[in-house]
Amino acid sequence: MTTTQGLRDREEPITMLTAYDTPTAEVVDEAGIDVVLVGDSMGNATMGYDSTLPVTMEDVASRTGAVVRGVEDALVVADMPFLSFGVDEAESVRNAGELIKEAGADAVKIESGPHTVETTRRMVDVGIPVMAHVGLTPQHVNRLGGYGRQGTDRAAAETILELAREHEDAGAFSVVLEHVPANLAATITDELDVPTIGIGAGPDCDGQVLVITDVIGLGEWSPSFSAQFGDVRGEMARAVAEYKSAVEAGSFPADEHSHVEDAVDDVE
Ligand code: KIV
């Protein structure tokens, strides 16, 4: 069983992947991935949205439940969707609590900013483990004007480092570093005691995370910092086309897919 504390003492890099449904969670967990993130990336990856902003608490809660039912060993982290935190502190803590208490997550992840330091502290105080997330935070796409690299000048890099430190001080058990220069990620990793998990942040983080649909080659598009390790979309297309041909040719269903009951012969 992976625990938030266990991640801290790891010698090897931490592996983390997203999952949004039970069979995918089973595959990811059986492969020995340490952390399964029920990311709000479900919005782009599986729901046809062009951002994560429309994803709701209900979406994350129901998919977290599905993932939890498929996982035996990995730590399950539920991503808090846009506006489910950061507006009102009590509501933020209650929403995080719902993902733990009702959906069954082990921890929550929050796209972090100066406004989430106290919220993180409060959640940790009441017993909710929090993974922070700095650098590119896709829920801020409208303020940032896109999904570009973050922390590319000294002032911006210092702000990201400070934010990571503040969230560690507030009790975050880990910090995701997204789309920041590799040398900045290396510095933050050196500075923090808690593990960093990088995405588009170079090789020197304590762990790496990617979106499952990018990794298996299911999505139509993936970011430049991602990598495709399979062609599930191609294999799905092949299987669907083969099924269609078999139905049209009359070769499916075959005898082994059907059964005949004498008792219902000539029923009127
Ligand atoms: O939602 C998500 O999948 C994420 C990861 C990309 C870190 O936040």
Side-chain angles (χ1 to χ4, degrees), residues 133-156:
H133 180 164
V134 300
L136 174 63
T137 45
Q139 291 174 14
H140 294 103
V141 59
N142 290 328
R143 182 166 63 70
L144 297 172
Y147 296 103
R149 194 173 287 121
Q150 302 296 305
T152 52
D153 62 53
R154 212 164 180 86

Side-chain angles (χ1 to χ4, degrees), residues 236-253:
M236 259 176 107
R238 189 207 55 74
V240 170
E242 204 169 297
Y243 161 75
K244 179 175 185 292
S245 303
V247 171
E248 288 172 351
S251 59
F252 180 84

Side-chain angles (χ1 to χ4, degrees), residues 109-199:
K109 178 172 81 60
I110 298 181
E111 290 194 11
S112 311
H115 64 298
T116 59
V117 177
E118 283 317 309
T119 308
T120 298
R121 199 182 309 282
R122 188 83 191 109
M123 287 178 186
V124 173
D125 280 350
V126 301
I128 299 168
V130 176
M131 177 178 271
H133 180 164
V134 300
L136 174 63
T137 45
Q139 291 174 14
H140 294 103
V141 59
N142 290 328
R143 182 166 63 70
L144 297 172
Y147 296 103
R149 194 173 287 121
Q150 302 296 305
T152 52
D153 62 53
R154 212 164 180 86
E158 281 167 7
T159 303
I160 293 172
L161 170 58
E162 189 48 30
L163 214 46
R165 279 201 192 107
E166 285 173 350
H167 283 80
E168 176 178 65
D169 289 347
F173 72 90
S174 172
V175 180
V176 168
L177 306 176
E178 180 163 356
H179 212 8
V180 295
N183 46 343
L184 172 61
T187 303
I188 298 175
T189 302
D190 272 353
E191 286 282 321
L192 299 188
D193 288 330
V194 296
T196 59
I197 316 257
I199 172 162

Side-chain angles (χ1 to χ4, degrees), residues 19-71:
Y20 318 106
D21 60 66
T22 307
T24 309
E26 283 168 356
V27 171
V28 168
D29 187 52
E30 281 161 18
I33 293 290
D34 301 306
V35 185
V36 181
L37 172 67
V38 189
D40 65 350
S41 51
M42 69 178 70
N44 318 61
T46 69
M47 299 169 85
Y49 296 133
D50 61 7
S51 79
T52 58
L53 303 186
V55 174
T56 64
M57 270 296 293
E58 289 70 30
D59 294 330
V60 175
S62 83
R63 283 156 184 257
T64 297
V67 165
V68 166
R69 289 188 285 278
V71 164

Side-chain angles (χ1 to χ4, degrees), residues 2 15 45 67-68 76 84 88 137 140 170 180 228 255 263:
T2 309
T15 53
V67 165
V68 166
V76 177
S84 69
D88 173 78
T137 45
H140 294 103
V180 295
Q228 192 175 319
D255 287 350

